[in-house]
Each structure stands twice: as structure tokens, then as C-alpha cells.
Amino acid sequence: MKNKLQVLFVAIILLVTIDAQANDRINSSFNLNNPDVRKCLIESTQSEGWKMAAIYYDASKKLVMIFEKGEDSKTYVSK
């Protein structure tokens, strides 16, 4: 019985984790180091109602831009 409860608990944790990440879309096909690409990305997302939530460099020194619209988010990582 204890083993079944442990399996059930792990399954619930996995479902919650997968559901929490389902709204995040990651796109890494852009060269975000190019200022023209960044400008076009910002303008096109704003015209669709997305707002920039964060911009930073990750541990591998790639530019990351995160946009949010309601509960959804889009993440862009430079190639």
C-alpha cells in the first residue's frame, strides 16, 4: 500500500510540473545579438499584445528575452 501511495505522489508531482511548463514556448532560431532583430521582435510581439517580462544573459552568455501575455509566456534565446 505504501509503495502505491509513493507512485501516486510522484505521478501527481510530475503532472503538476508538466502543466506548469506547458504555457512556455521557447524559440532559439533568432540572432538576438543583432539590434535590428531585437527591435523587430519587440515591435512584433507588442503589436500582438505581448509585454516584455525579462531580458538577460544566461550562463552560456546567450541573450534571453521573455514575453508574457496573460498566463502564457514566450521565451526567445539567441542562437
Side-chain angles (χ1 to χ4, degrees):
M1 182 69 169
K2 184 177 178 182
N3 192 20
K4 289 182 181 180
L5 287 175
Q6 288 175 337
V7 171
L8 179 63
F9 180 71
V10 169
I12 291 172
I13 295 297
L14 287 174
L15 286 174
V16 170
T17 303
I18 291 170
D19 185 45
Q21 296 174 358
N23 292 335
D24 193 26
R25 295 180 237 155
I26 299 176
N27 188 332
S28 61
S29 63
F30 297 117
N31 179 9
L32 297 177
N33 294 319
N34 183 332
D36 293 330
V37 173
R38 286 193 309 266
K39 180 181 176 185
C40 288
L41 179 61
I42 291 169
E43 289 175 355
S44 66
T45 54
Q46 284 178 346
S47 70
E48 294 176 1
W50 293 86
K51 294 183 181 181
M52 186 182 298
I55 183 169
Y56 61 91
Y57 285 98
D58 65 5
S60 58
K61 297 187 180 179
K62 292 184 178 184
L63 186 62
V64 178
M65 298 175 80
I66 300 174
F67 296 89
E68 292 180 342
K69 181 179 180 182
E71 295 294 319
D72 295 332
S73 67
K74 290 183 182 180
T75 302
Y76 294 90
V77 180
S78 186
K79 15 175 178 174

